[in-house]
Amino acid sequence: MLNFNRVGEIVCYAMLNFLPYLFAALYPFRYQFRYSKKIMALFIFIITLVQVEIGLLDVLWPDINKTLLNLVSTIVYFVFYFWAVKAHLGKTLFTLLMLSGIANFIVVCSKCLEGYFFPALARQPFRWSYSVVMLLVQLFILVPLFFYIRNIYTNAIEKETNPVLWRYLWLVPATFYLLGLYHLYGNTKTSTEIALQPENTVFLLFINLGAMLIYHMVVCLINEYHKNSGLEMQNHLLEIQKLQYEKLTERIAEARRARHDLEHHIAIMTGYLKGNQLDKLSDYLEGYRKALPDDSAILFCQNTAVNLLMLYFSQQAKEREIDFSVHMDIPKQISIGENELAVLLGNLLENAVTSCSNQTKGERRITVGGKVNEESLLFTIDNTFEGEIKRGKDGIFLSTKHGGAGIGIESVKQIVLRHDGMFEFEQRDGIFYVSILLKLS
């Protein structure tokens, strides 16, 4: 039978071996939980109890398969994590496997140090000495690791990168994780016997140092990629601003010329009127009306980024003889960043212009709508198209420019999910309908 002190030892170990890593794994996705913080706290409490129960089974049934218990504990942890976080699977796998590899090293290192300082207790599972040593090792490793995750790693995870990239990046920590598991369980010795041998701790130390170096290189590459993408986006916005400035300058010049010529037009029309030449006056007025400067809008909405995008793509549509109509009411200040709006609308409008440009017959038309409704931002983009837009087996629209899924659509989906929104794509009667809803916070 277990006494109160023994239960306390098991509870302390279970919490130390679970909660710090769960917190570190959840932090980069703290804005992408499927449920509210209160419900998440309840789930974490329940899953912690499950981990405690697994520890109790280990002590109550000494003959139970330790490897099987560890496998069950890991599966429960993984299932809860993927169930609680709604993010790209590659990102969650990368994070979870990275921290799991570090957790395995801390367990082995703690047991090795316990064997050195408390040799009498080291071969007994979940003793107070193990928890004390583990706490010290965690303070030495996890505290700086958390600051790294908060200040550098999370920044890379939250960035919008090519989703295809994350489909393969998770294989890097998976390789190191499996290598560590094989070293621990791929022989006839028990995990405790392996952990008590210092050479195994040194081996896992170098494995994890090499792994962390590679993880950091991946993070740096992602940040560099995003930095370059940001510079490209800024150049793109500068081009749009230049186009708006040139168009505005052209309008001002046209207005000045019209004002200068107005006196001559008035003189001619007055002459026709005095001579009672109404037919000639009517023809002259019609010709004058057609000669007036283009009065298309240069201000689609108050939001600078959205207005620039509308101006840019209206010009693109005009050059391709596409009817481009905008019904936009977006205020100047909203909680969604200009870069995200540029990626969101830029990808969708680029796809719409490309789709209309590929039409060989029929009307070419793009209709864009947008408004702020209470605490939500709504966008609709409808465009005509010709032929058939193909979907993959998972329902994702396939790119017409290359094989596989459209990267632009995937980037749009990631932005929508990050803002707890909804998106809908539909094709019907030769028109492709896009509806986007983003929650404003």
Side-chain angles (χ1 to χ4, degrees), residues 7 103 187 219 237 255 259 349 380 423:
V7 172
N187 52 65
V219 169
L237 290 175
R259 181 182 180 87
L349 289 171
T380 60
F423 53 86

Side-chain angles (χ1 to χ4, degrees), residues 71 214 274 297 301 382:
L71 180 61
I214 294 177
K274 289 181 178 179
C301 68
D382 308 333

Side-chain angles (χ1 to χ4, degrees), residues 103-314:
N104 287 338
F105 168 70
I106 290 177
V107 167
V108 173
C109 182
S110 300
K111 178 58 69 173
C112 182
L113 291 175
E114 184 193 22
Y116 181 79
F117 291 105
F118 306 96
L121 299 175
R123 294 187 177 275
Q124 303 176 37
F126 315 134
R127 295 309 306 266
W128 63 267
S129 54
Y130 191 19
S131 296
V132 170
V133 174
M134 178 178 285
L135 177 61
L136 294 176
V137 174
Q138 286 180 339
L139 289 174
F140 182 76
I141 295 177
L142 293 186
V143 170
L145 178 64
F146 172 74
F147 283 104
Y148 176 81
I149 290 175
R150 188 188 69 175
N151 298 329
I152 300 176
Y153 181 77
T154 300
N155 191 35
I157 286 292
E158 291 179 341
K159 284 180 169 56
E160 285 304 317
T161 51
N162 189 337
V164 178
L165 188 66
W166 286 105
R167 293 182 185 176
Y168 305 101
L169 277 180
W170 67 271
L171 293 172
V172 176
T175 302
F176 286 105
Y177 179 67
L178 292 175
L179 183 62
L181 288 183
Y182 177 77
H183 185 72
L184 289 175
Y185 303 108
N187 52 65
T188 57
K189 294 182 180 180
T190 65
S191 58
T192 300
E193 291 173 338
I194 295 172
L196 289 174
Q197 296 176 349
E199 59 269 23
N200 292 317
T201 300
V202 174
F203 175 79
L204 288 179
L205 172 63
F206 282 105
I207 287 292
N208 279 272
L209 287 176
M212 286 304 301
L213 177 62
I214 294 177
Y215 301 156
H216 181 64
M217 291 174 62
V218 169
V219 169
C220 290
L221 287 174
I222 291 174
N223 286 330
E224 188 66 23
Y225 171 84
H226 185 76
K227 181 181 178 180
N228 292 335
S229 299
L231 291 175
E232 290 180 4
M233 184 59 66
Q234 288 178 4
N235 291 335
H236 186 59
L237 290 175
L238 286 174
E239 289 178 4
I240 296 174
Q241 289 175 339
K242 180 182 177 182
L243 176 63
Q244 186 187 39
Y245 175 77
E246 290 175 351
K247 195 168 184 179
L248 182 60
T249 303
E250 182 183 342
R251 295 289 180 78
I252 294 173
E254 289 176 349
R256 286 177 177 174
R257 286 195 298 270
R259 181 182 180 87
H260 178 267
D261 297 337
L262 184 58
E263 294 182 2
H264 306 300
H265 293 302
I266 291 175
I268 293 173
M269 289 186 289
T270 301
Y272 285 138
L273 185 61
K274 289 181 178 179
N276 201 27
Q277 297 174 299
L278 299 182
D279 292 339
K280 289 187 177 181
L281 177 60
S282 178
D283 293 339
Y284 188 86
L285 286 172
E286 179 64 20
Y288 179 67
R289 185 186 66 80
K290 291 180 179 180
L292 288 174
D294 180 22
D295 61 350
S296 58
I298 61 172
L299 183 63
F300 293 99
C301 68
Q302 296 297 322
N303 187 276
T304 303
V306 175
N307 186 68
L308 290 174
L309 286 167
M310 294 303 108
L311 178 63
Y312 177 78
F313 284 102
S314 68

Side-chain angles (χ1 to χ4, degrees), residues 9-181:
E9 288 179 321
I10 296 172
V11 171
C12 287
Y13 168 79
M15 295 177 65
L16 280 174
N17 199 38
F18 176 67
L19 291 178
Y21 308 107
L22 180 63
F23 176 76
L26 289 176
Y27 183 84
F29 308 100
R30 60 197 182 280
Y31 301 123
Q32 300 181 57
F33 294 156
R34 295 187 186 276
Y35 308 98
S36 66
K37 292 182 180 179
K38 290 183 179 180
I39 295 178
M40 285 291 295
L42 177 61
F43 287 152
I44 291 173
F45 176 75
I46 294 173
I47 207 73
T48 303
L49 291 181
V50 173
Q51 298 295 330
V52 171
E53 289 292 331
I54 292 174
L56 291 173
L57 286 175
D58 194 344
V59 175
L60 288 173
W61 293 350
D63 297 331
I64 197 170
N65 191 318
K66 310 294 185 184
T67 303
L68 179 62
L69 272 183
N70 288 330
L71 180 61
V72 171
S73 175
T74 301
I75 291 175
V76 170
Y77 177 32
F78 274 50
V79 169
F80 166 74
Y81 188 75
F82 293 124
W83 176 55
V85 175
K86 54 175 183 180
H88 192 284
L89 182 61
K91 292 182 179 181
T92 53
L93 271 173
F94 190 99
T95 304
L96 199 58
L97 290 169
M98 176 185 71
L99 290 171
S100 296
I102 295 172
N104 287 338
F105 168 70
I106 290 177
V107 167
V108 173
C109 182
S110 300
K111 178 58 69 173
C112 182
L113 291 175
E114 184 193 22
Y116 181 79
F117 291 105
F118 306 96
L121 299 175
R123 294 187 177 275
Q124 303 176 37
F126 315 134
R127 295 309 306 266
W128 63 267
S129 54
Y130 191 19
S131 296
V132 170
V133 174
M134 178 178 285
L135 177 61
L136 294 176
V137 174
Q138 286 180 339
L139 289 174
F140 182 76
I141 295 177
L142 293 186
V143 170
L145 178 64
F146 172 74
F147 283 104
Y148 176 81
I149 290 175
R150 188 188 69 175
N151 298 329
I152 300 176
Y153 181 77
T154 300
N155 191 35
I157 286 292
E158 291 179 341
K159 284 180 169 56
E160 285 304 317
T161 51
N162 189 337
V164 178
L165 188 66
W166 286 105
R167 293 182 185 176
Y168 305 101
L169 277 180
W170 67 271
L171 293 172
V172 176
T175 302
F176 286 105
Y177 179 67
L178 292 175
L179 183 62
L181 288 183

